[in-house]
């Protein structure tokens, strides 16, 4: 189980660290970083939000390989509501999340009986089906050509603060869920589903709850992403988008709160830093990096950091 | 290439990786004087990216070995360099990141490239906002230059987020590429005006269209329909099959097309897909008709993949590196051997636009006499260069000024027929249509002949 | 609108392409059956196999069908190395780590191939390129017929290895109960490496056939790998019979969807079939219950 998630008060060291990190993060724009750095920070925020939601589902032992379906659904719903019906942008962002959650509920229903690879393939298949549906509805989604989306805000600084708040609030909610009785049920299901059932936990209910919460937050992340980038096409359902939260969460530390945050910062930085080499070599380097990460740090950076901290204390 | 060379490559691979990282850093810190920086926007997870880079490299090397670019303001010749803005698989998200980085961190003077429409429409936005000239050499949609006020918003309805109100920013966008309109027009006119009387004198031409479901495929489909209707061409579309990109197994599609009894098949895909359609259609499905492909297949691999299955089949083109020598444009006589010597490969179609665009950038900077971006934009607007690798209607490279042609060129495209060459073991193209091009003269190289097994769709 | 001839021809092509899917799925399933891991980078071994076949044909000038054998040998060695270096250290840690390592391998294999051999598509020409066998309404090329024969031969060969050889028996024992096999003195590590390399050889054979019938390029592996993955889930993990029937079913579903609904539905319908099967039977058509 996870040591970092033990119950703790508001003034616990962990909470203080979180507040300190948030304060540091909120003064970054005052240092006037370049538009490019700001852009990367915003993307990191979006991916932290996205990966944390994915991780919440993985917390119940349900690893999805098709989360891009929810990212895309959130993105399409939110942007179409604004364009076609002029709905308030923030309301449509939430509606995007809700529609993703509704579909997540349905997918969850088909998945409750499935384990591991079967579940992975069904979620993956749903991403394929969602993409096909978007392509088939090309009279409204404009298929592969895609369409431009409305900007939510005027400047990158505003986007930065918004995603900072959005991601922090979401991660705080996820933290509270994981800390509560629900979280205990989640991890019991992950460790051993039969035992959990024996303990009287309604596994179907909790699995569905995890699906709904995870897809809701992913839908919101998707809406934010497409409004920020300013464009949406079926590319949002790409394998890249499905695998990214897995890469980020495993690198950072699976089933931890900090894992997806550290992971998205590290992964996006490395992806960008490697651009100084030739694009082909860069891809090979990314592959080597991923392979080494999992061989040498199978439990992620979170645990490496904890180890280092502990050895410093002693 | 020998096997030993491959062994050497693989051993050197790891070392190169480390050295490249260090080298790139060293290079960027030891540039003594300011050089002109081109940002090459290209997808390096797709085959087009490397082709665009090769063409850029060749153009930049040529310009530098000739002394560089003369900047009047500084009174000296300045070398040119390029940085890569990799949008990977032509993704809007990665494109925005890459272009923002090129503009903000690498401080490029001008951007060149962008292959796919959806990526181009997203990644041109940072360039518009930052007022960086962008010569777009891919992107089959005309919206990249017409989505602003100067292009009457490309016909977009008010409130569409694709519309860009920033007229000043839009004036920095230039489109040096054929669009789906150009080649679809050539192709349907060829079918309706030239082929129809030969195979179906007493009825309409029965056309089957098989196209990939992406902006390019759908764009060609829409444009073809528009021209058939607007120009009242005697063509009936008897089958229209849309499939996801990446498909290689076309048996079901082609079986359905055969059942529709077409007089000709129009295949809209890139090299691999198109070659598979030609081969599976003739070899497996027995659809013995005439096949037509789009200019994006004008790459060496198309000919090696097709083998004898390409014999007497058709290809629309704007750049025919195989249709000669002698070539229809003088520059091709030197470009093609140079490219082959430098990279050991035949040049592809995407690279040709990029190569021209680097020279267009050089020409504009020299005429502007400064690296001031607004002045470079002004100079680009008054570009008037002789055709390089791409034919245009006037024989000159000029960017349009009317709302219907805003910052676009007016390219000429033609139809080639592939003829099997026993000695080479590959097909070679010959221009068959049209007869001649304004300001260039006759370009036709051979008389069209129907494929030997050709059977018309109906009596 | 759709006549019988069109329908039966489409069915036939579904079966034909299904045969190649079977080969991929069987290799992947063999690895899963024994090691309980799914190698997402199976498609990359397929790609490597296609290239090995191509180069054996191109450089050594051997017959492409003979080159399949060379390709299988080379890729089985590569497969063994991949198992030792990448999968062996993480086996048993978590399913996600296996996916993660496969993702890394996909990047490494795909782009190393681009670096070494460029990304230009290539094709293998057999001596039968232009010869066809007439069946009345349709003519089938000899290459297709040989490919289907090769698939059957390889499946029979694999069956014999599993049934008659010592290592084959050890594989079956390990697949049924790893701990019991260990106690019986079977070197499980060796069995893992052997099954991974046998699975890789099957991928190489599938890749070579792909290269002969279609074409090859560095990115050719991803889509077939996903299909193979879907097929073994459909047929049941670890079940060879499931892989055979799943492969045919997938090929037919894909082609029928293309004919009736249009090409954009081909993947969606195949996955919809998968989801429906799993809703009814959560371990796939022939999967063992838990």
């Amino acid at each position: 189980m996870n040591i970092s998630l033990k119950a703790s008060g508001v003034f616990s060291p962990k909470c203080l660290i979180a507040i300190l990190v948030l304060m540091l993060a909120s003064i970054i724009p005052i240092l006037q970083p370049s538009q490019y750095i700001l852009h990367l920070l915003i993307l990191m925020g979006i991916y932290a939000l996205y990966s944390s939601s994915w991780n919440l589902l993985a917390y119940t032992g349900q690893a999805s390989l098709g989360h891009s379906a929810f990212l895309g659904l959130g993105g399409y719903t939110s942007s179409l509501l604004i364009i076609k019906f002029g709905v308030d942008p923030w309301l449509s962002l939430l509606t995007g999340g809700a529609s993703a959650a509704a579909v997540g509920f349905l997918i969850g229903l088909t998945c409750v009986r499935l384990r591991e690879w079967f579940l992975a393939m069904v979620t993956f298949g749903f991403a394929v089906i969602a993409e096909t549906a978007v392509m088939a509805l090309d009279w409204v989604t404009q298929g592969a050509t895609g369409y431009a989306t409305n900007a939510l805000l005027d400047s990158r600084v505003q986007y930065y603060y918004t995603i900072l708040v959005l991601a922090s609030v979401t991660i705080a909610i996820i933290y509270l869920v994981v800390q509560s009785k629900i979280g205990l049920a989640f991890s019991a299901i992950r460790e051993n589903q039969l035992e959990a059932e024996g303990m009287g936990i309604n596994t179907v209910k909790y699995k569905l709850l995890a699906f709904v919460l995870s897809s809701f937050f992913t839908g919101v992340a998707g809406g934010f992403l497409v409004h920020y980038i300013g464009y949406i096409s079926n590319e949002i359902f790409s394998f890249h988008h499905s695998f990214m939260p897995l890469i980020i969460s495993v690198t950072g530390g699976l089933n931890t709160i900090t894992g997806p945050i550290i992971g998205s910062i590290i992964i996006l930085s490395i992806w960008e830093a490697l651009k100084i080499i030739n694009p082909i070599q860069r891809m090979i380097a990314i592959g080597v990096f991923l392979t080494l990460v999992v061989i040498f740090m199978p439990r992620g950076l979170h645990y490496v950091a904890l180890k280092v901290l502990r050895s410093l204390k002693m | 290439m020998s096997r030993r060379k491959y062994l050497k490559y693989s051993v050197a691979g790891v070392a190169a990786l480390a050295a490249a990282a260090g080298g790139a850093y060293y290079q960027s810190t030891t540039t003594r004087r300011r050089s002109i920086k081109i940002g090459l926007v290209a997808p390096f997870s797709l085959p087009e990216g490397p082709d665009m880079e090769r063409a850029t490299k060749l153009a930049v090397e040529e310009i530098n070995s000739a002394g560089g670019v003369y900047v009047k303001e500084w009174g000296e010749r300045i070398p040119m360099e390029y940085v890569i803005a990799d949008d990977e698989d032509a993704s809007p998200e990665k494109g925005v990141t890459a272009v923002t980085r090129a503009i903000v961190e690498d401080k490029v003077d001008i951007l060149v490239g962008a292959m796919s429409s959806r990526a181009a429409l997203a990644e041109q936005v940072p360039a518009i906002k930052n007022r960086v000239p962008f010569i777009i050499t891919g992107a089959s949609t005309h919206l990249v230059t017409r989505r602003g006020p100067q292009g009457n918003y490309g016909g977009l309805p008010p409130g569409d987020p694709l519309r860009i109100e920033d007229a000043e920013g839009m004036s920095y966008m230039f489109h040096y590429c054929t669009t789906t309109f150009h080649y679809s027009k050539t192709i349907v006119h060829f079918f309706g005006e030239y082929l129809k009387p030969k195979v179906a004198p007493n009825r309409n031409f029965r056309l089957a269209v098989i196209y990939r479901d992406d902006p390019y495929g759908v764009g060609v489909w829409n444009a073809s329909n528009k021209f058939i209707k607007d120009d009242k061409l005697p063509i009936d579309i008897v089958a229209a099959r849309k499939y996801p990109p990446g498909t290689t197994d076309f048996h079901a599609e082609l079986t359905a097309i055969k059942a529709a009894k077409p007089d000709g098949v129009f295949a809209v895909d890139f090299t691999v897909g198109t070659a598979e359609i030609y081969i599976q259609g003739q070899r497996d499905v027995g659809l013995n008709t005439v096949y037509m492909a789009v200019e994006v297949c004008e790459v060496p691999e198309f000919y090696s993949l097709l083998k004898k299955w390409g014999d007497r089949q058709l290809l629309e083109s704007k750049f025919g590196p195989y249709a000669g020598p002698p070539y229809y444009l003088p520059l091709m006589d030197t470009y093609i051997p140079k490219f082959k010597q430098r990279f050991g490969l035949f040049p592809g179609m995407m690279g040709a636009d990029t190569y021209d665009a680097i020279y267009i950038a050089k020409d504009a900077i020299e005429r502007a006499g400064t690296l001031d971006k607004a002045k470079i934009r002004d100079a680009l607007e008054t570009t008037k260069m002789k055709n390089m690798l791409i034919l245009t209607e006037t024989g000159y490279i000029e960017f349009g000024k009317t709302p219907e042609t805003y910052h676009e060129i007016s390219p000429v495209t033609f139809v080639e027929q592939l003829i099997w060459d026993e000695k080479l073991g590959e097909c070679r193209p010959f221009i068959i249509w049209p007869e001649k091009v304004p300001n260039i003269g006759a370009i036709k190289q051979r008389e069209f002949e129907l494929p030997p097994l050709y059977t018309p769709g109906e009596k | 609108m759709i006549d019988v001839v069109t329908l039966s021809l489409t069915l036939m092509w579904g079966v034909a392409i299904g045969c190649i899917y079977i080969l991929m799925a069987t290799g992947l399933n063999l690895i899963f059956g024994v090691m309980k891991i799914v190698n997402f980078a199976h498609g990359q071994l397929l790609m490597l196999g296609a290239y090995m076949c191509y180069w054996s044909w191109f450089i050594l000038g051997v017959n492409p069908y003979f080159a399949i054998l060379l390709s299988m040998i080379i890729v089985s060695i590569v497969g063994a190395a991949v198992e030792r270096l990448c999968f062996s250290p993480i086996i048993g840690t978590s399913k996600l780590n296996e996916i993660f390592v496969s993702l890394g391998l996909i990047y490494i294999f795909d782009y190393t191939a681009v670096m070494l051999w460029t990304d230009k598509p290539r094709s293998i020409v057999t001596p039968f390129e232009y010869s066809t066998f007439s069946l009345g309404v349709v003519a089938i090329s000899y290459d297709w017929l040989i490919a289907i024969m090769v698939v059957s031969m390889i499946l029979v060969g694999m069956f014999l290895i599993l049934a008659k050889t010592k290592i084959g028996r050890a594989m079956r024992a390990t697949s049924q109960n790893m701990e019991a096999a260990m106690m019986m003195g079977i070197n499980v590590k060796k069995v893992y490496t052997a099954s991974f390399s046998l699975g890789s050889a099957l991928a190489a054979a599938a890749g070579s056939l792909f290269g002969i019938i279609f074409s090859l390029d560095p990115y050719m592996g991803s889509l077939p790998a996903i299909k193979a993955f879907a097929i073994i889930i459909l047929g049941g993990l670890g079940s060879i019979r499931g892989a055979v029937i799943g492969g045919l079913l997938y090929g037919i579903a894909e082609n029928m969807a293309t004919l009736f609904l249009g090409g954009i539905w081909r993947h969606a319908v195949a996955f919809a079939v998968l989801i429906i099967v799993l809703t009814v039977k959560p371990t796939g058509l022939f999967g063992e219950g838990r």
Side-chain angles (χ1 to χ4, degrees), chain A residues 228-268:
Chain A
Y228 171 64
I229 295 297
Y231 205 81
I232 185 168
S233 71
N234 67 320
E235 187 269 345
I236 197 157
F237 296 107
S238 67
F239 301 162
H240 174 86
H241 277 140
S242 277
F243 289 128
M244 214 50 187
L246 183 145
I247 291 177
I248 286 172
S249 304
V250 173
T251 307
L254 207 59
N255 305 331
T256 64
I257 290 294
T258 42
I261 306 171
I262 305 177
S264 61
I265 295 171
I266 296 289
I267 290 291
L268 264 68

Side-chain angles (χ1 to χ4, degrees), chain A residues 38-59:
Chain A
L38 213 49
H39 171 76
L40 282 185
L41 291 172
I42 295 166
L43 283 184
M44 284 173 189
I46 298 173
Y47 275 101
L49 170 57
Y50 177 26
S51 309
S52 299
S53 331
W54 180 89
N55 200 22
L56 178 65
L57 185 61
Y59 204 81

